[in-house]
Amino acid sequence: MTKLLFILFVPLLITLPLCLEAQGRLPLISAHRGASRVAPENTRAAFVMAIEQGADFIEIDVRTTSDGQQVIVHDKSLKRTTGLNALVSDTDYLTITALSAGDWFGKEFSKEKVPTLEQVCELLNAENNKRTHGIMLYVDCKAIDAASVTSLLKKYALIDSAIFYGDEKTLLDIRKHFEGARIMPAFPGRKEAHELIKKLQPYALDVPYSELDRVTVSFIHSKGIKVFSDLLGKDDHPGAYRKAIEYGIDLIQTDDVHAVRKIYDELKTHDK
């Protein structure tokens, strides 16, 4: 009888943390460069698909062209995603508009262009006008003009909900242009975090998945700060999603929004 009780009880212990977490608020989901597993990264197609999959945030990488336009490109160079062997910072926007940002991914995406930040803002603003639950911007500030970025987000009513990730200098610059900006630096470790928190007063900290544990999450939450984490590459799988949920983080960034939503649906169904 004792053995039978043990067999029945162990699975309950394993699933209990997830059930309890599912009864509360599950982490928000950020679509890394849009739905980048099914569409070319950082394109309108990828952003539309991510919205359809149920992303809470659309993550974008913002860079500045030679003539000051804020465009959505991850790499310093345009080579990988457009074929042009040139730096974004050395290329004018008119040249970039002639490039395909999707041909490398698949011929069906050959008409996709490098979007501007304003075009992305227009898309989200239009989508949010149709919805009760707004889609938010996760802005990875690669090489931005802070004044232009904050001005555009204000124009399209996205500034209050946006998250800004970047280096310390960039984040402080953003705060100069919008005092209430929700900034997020990388987590430097618990020892160094005290000074960083005091200096930046961040909304959130970006914690690598490899450094996530209950103690770290509790420490950050005790400071009134959110915990965001990238579950990408080898960490972008259901086991990692479940662990992140158990730890109680606030946002999962993924290349597969659909897969994360599937886990959430399973948890919610289990609780019924």
Side-chain angles (χ1 to χ4, degrees):
M1 182 63 127
T2 303
K3 184 176 181 180
L4 178 61
L5 286 171
F6 178 80
I7 293 171
L8 292 172
F9 188 59
V10 168
L12 178 61
L13 285 175
I14 294 171
T15 59
L16 183 59
L18 289 178
C19 295
L20 289 174
E21 195 63 44
Q23 289 172 0
R25 186 182 60 76
L26 290 163
L28 296 170
I29 303 173
S30 175
H32 182 238
R33 307 180 203 172
S36 53
R37 286 194 179 179
V38 294
E41 65 180 61
N42 279 326
T43 61
R44 181 183 176 86
F47 301 145
V48 169
M49 289 185 190
I51 292 167
E52 291 173 350
Q53 290 176 353
D56 299 296
F57 279 86
I58 301 297
E59 189 259 0
I60 58 175
D61 302 289
V62 183
R63 292 187 179 277
T64 307
T65 66
S66 63
D67 50 351
Q69 182 68 257
Q70 305 301 292
V71 293
I72 314 304
V73 182
H74 178 270
D75 301 354
K76 290 181 180 179
S77 172
L78 291 155
K79 176 69 174 175
R80 180 174 62 87
T81 56
T82 73
L84 181 64
N85 190 17
L87 297 178
V88 176
S89 59
D90 291 341
T91 310
D92 63 83
Y93 177 61
L94 184 60
T95 299
I96 291 175
T97 60
L99 306 173
S100 169
D103 197 46
W104 67 275
F105 192 90
K107 293 299 181 184
E108 67 272 30
F109 295 107
S110 62
K111 293 184 179 179
E112 290 295 321
K113 300 296 185 180
V114 173
T116 63
L117 175 59
E118 182 152 25
Q119 288 166 346
V120 175
C121 289
E122 288 173 345
L123 171 64
L124 263 62
N125 183 264
E127 288 292 330
N128 288 345
N129 285 335
K130 305 174 190 174
R131 302 165 182 268
T132 54
H133 175 66
I135 300 135
M136 298 168 277
L137 270 181
Y138 181 133
V139 185
D140 189 336
C141 306
K142 295 295 187 186
I144 69 166
D145 179 272
S148 296
V149 169
T150 53
S151 177
L152 282 169
L153 267 62
K154 287 176 184 177
K155 177 180 176 181
Y156 290 95
L158 295 167
I159 189 78
D160 292 318
S161 63
I163 298 295
F164 298 92
Y165 172 77
D167 59 42
E168 186 176 307
K169 181 179 181 299
T170 301
L171 296 178
L172 287 172
D173 197 17
I174 289 167
R175 277 266 174 88
K176 288 178 184 176
H177 294 280
F178 181 63
E179 189 176 350
R182 304 199 303 179
I183 62 173
M184 178 177 65
F187 178 60
R190 288 197 295 273
K191 185 176 180 180
E192 295 82 5
H194 293 282
E195 185 177 344
L196 180 72
I197 291 169
K198 183 178 180 181
K199 185 173 185 178
L200 295 184
Q201 298 182 333
Y203 173 82
L205 288 171
D206 179 41
V207 183
Y209 177 71
S210 60
E211 296 180 31
L212 275 184
D213 56 45
R214 295 184 191 280
V215 174
T216 298
V217 173
S218 295
F219 165 76
I220 296 171
H221 280 167
S222 72
K223 306 296 183 182
I225 297 167
K226 307 283 187 186
V227 178
F228 288 19
S229 188
D230 291 351
L231 275 60
L232 305 171
K234 64 181 177 58
D235 300 322
D236 207 343
H237 60 83
Y241 310 152
R242 289 177 179 272
K243 185 171 287 187
I245 294 166
E246 288 180 31
Y247 290 160
I249 75 169
D250 302 284
L251 179 142
I252 290 172
Q253 180 146 261
T254 177
D255 285 321
D256 196 343
V257 173
H258 177 73
V260 181
R261 283 288 175 205
K262 185 177 179 181
I263 294 296
Y264 287 9
D265 290 343
E266 290 173 4
L267 292 174
K268 291 170 184 175
T269 300
H270 191 283
D271 275 350
K272 288 181 180 177

